[in-house]
Amino acid sequence: MPAGIYTNHEKVAAALAKGGPLIDNPNTPAAIKVSGSHRDKAGAVEVHEKETDIFYVSDGEATLIAGGTRVKAKNAAANHQYDVEGGKNFHLTKGDIMVIPAGSPHWFKEVPKSISYHLVKLTTPAGGTGTDVTYVDHDKVAAALNSKGEIFSAPKLRLSGGYRTGPDQPANYGADPEVHPTSIDIFYCIDGTATVVTGGKIVGMKESGDNRMAGAKVEQGRADHMTKGDWLLVPSGTPHWHTEYPKPFGFYRYLLVKVQE
């Protein structure tokens, strides 16, 4: 199998500073794209009829209006063509997460200085990512990242915190290579470091739980050294194996976006 799609922290930082693409995985039903975004002023009302947007704020702040109905702007002097009627105001700051399902209007109403955020776009069946706009503040996100907790859950989409350690700390040591036949894993490294092997083939693969196959090792895969700020997308059916946890960290903490195809 081909390897996953990896983007290092330097490219991520550049995209967050100016905006730019990071990962594109079009040849799947979910058609996932990951990018970095940067704004220093308000924007226009957007509605994506088939795409769900996930925002993860890396810096700055802004007021976002989401939900409700897109309507023609009533103020003739307005510098935008549409407004959102019946939407909710959300004050976004560093560490916050927003999930905006397909068909939900949204726009950045106020940007005091600037805001930078990670943007994950995906296409799923109707209702597969939920029907309501969801806001999770930075305190709840941080708590989930520190406890391997759930951040968001819908029939086809789940966001959670992840934490793995090396063999010297066996309680959180996930040594087995694994494959998810019908789901995509997207990892964003929060801190720590790990070597993740993707692609190739699993030796001794067998069923190991719901939508999971596991084995003894991966052959002919590619090794990526995940550090803070890196993204890695593992397509469905692709082997992945966390093999090394270099010192001084000895651990790997991450945000996991799991998409069921």
Side-chain angles (χ1 to χ4, degrees):
M1 289 291 295
I5 305 173
Y6 167 75
T7 303
N8 72 27
H9 53 278
E10 293 177 347
K11 186 174 180 179
V12 172
L16 290 170
K18 296 182 178 180
L22 296 171
I23 289 175
D24 193 356
N25 188 42
N27 299 319
T28 68
I32 294 169
K33 294 182 180 180
V34 180
S35 60
S37 295
H38 179 84
R39 289 180 175 270
D40 54 16
K41 59 183 178 181
V45 176
E46 301 179 34
V47 180
H48 310 299
E49 297 296 344
K50 296 183 179 180
E51 292 179 324
T52 289
D53 286 354
I54 303 167
F55 297 164
Y56 178 38
V57 181
S58 65
D59 199 17
E61 61 176 321
T63 298
L64 178 80
I65 297 181
T69 305
R70 184 175 69 167
V71 297
K72 286 281 189 178
K74 297 177 181 178
N75 183 359
N79 60 1
H80 53 275
Q81 187 177 1
Y82 294 97
D83 283 327
V84 175
E85 192 172 80
K88 294 182 179 179
N89 284 27
F90 300 95
H91 184 68
L92 301 184
T93 59
K94 183 177 180 179
D96 292 352
I97 284 180
M98 286 284 302
V99 180
I100 303 175
S104 294
H106 55 282
W107 69 299
F108 284 90
K109 182 181 179 181
E110 297 175 353
V111 182
K113 292 183 179 179
S114 67
I115 185 169
S116 296
Y117 55 97
H118 306 271
L119 172 59
V120 180
K121 279 185 170 288
L122 57 111
T123 302
T124 60
T129 56
T131 57
D132 296 325
V133 173
T134 300
Y135 165 74
V136 185
D137 71 57
H138 50 274
D139 288 332
K140 292 182 179 178
V141 172
L145 292 172
N146 289 332
S147 64
K148 298 188 290 185
E150 184 174 275
I151 297 171
F152 173 87
S153 182
K156 298 289 185 179
L157 173 66
R158 183 172 181 266
L159 278 65
S160 60
Y163 182 74
R164 292 172 180 259
T165 60
D168 55 328
Q169 300 179 58
N172 292 293
Y173 181 44
D176 295 339
E178 57 186 335
V179 170
H180 306 298
T182 61
S183 64
I184 298 168
D185 281 355
I186 312 171
F187 299 95
Y188 175 69
C189 182
I190 300 298
D191 59 357
T193 183
T195 298
V196 185
V197 176
T198 60
K201 62 180 181 179
I202 289 184
V203 176
M205 186 167 63
K206 59 183 179 181
E207 289 190 14
S208 178
D210 184 30
N211 191 34
R212 185 180 187 271
M213 309 288 287
K217 63 179 181 178
V218 173
E219 292 183 343
Q220 301 173 351
R222 186 195 71 210
D224 294 310
H225 302 288
M226 297 286 290
T227 61
K228 183 178 180 180
D230 293 354
W231 280 97
L232 176 65
L233 184 150
V234 181
S236 56
T238 298
H240 48 291
W241 185 20
H242 293 75
T243 60
E244 298 176 353
Y245 301 82
K247 300 296 183 182
F249 296 101
F251 70 90
Y252 170 50
R253 193 187 315 276
Y254 54 92
L255 170 67
L256 174 62
V257 180
K258 183 177 283 287
V259 181
Q260 185 72 32
E261 292 201 288

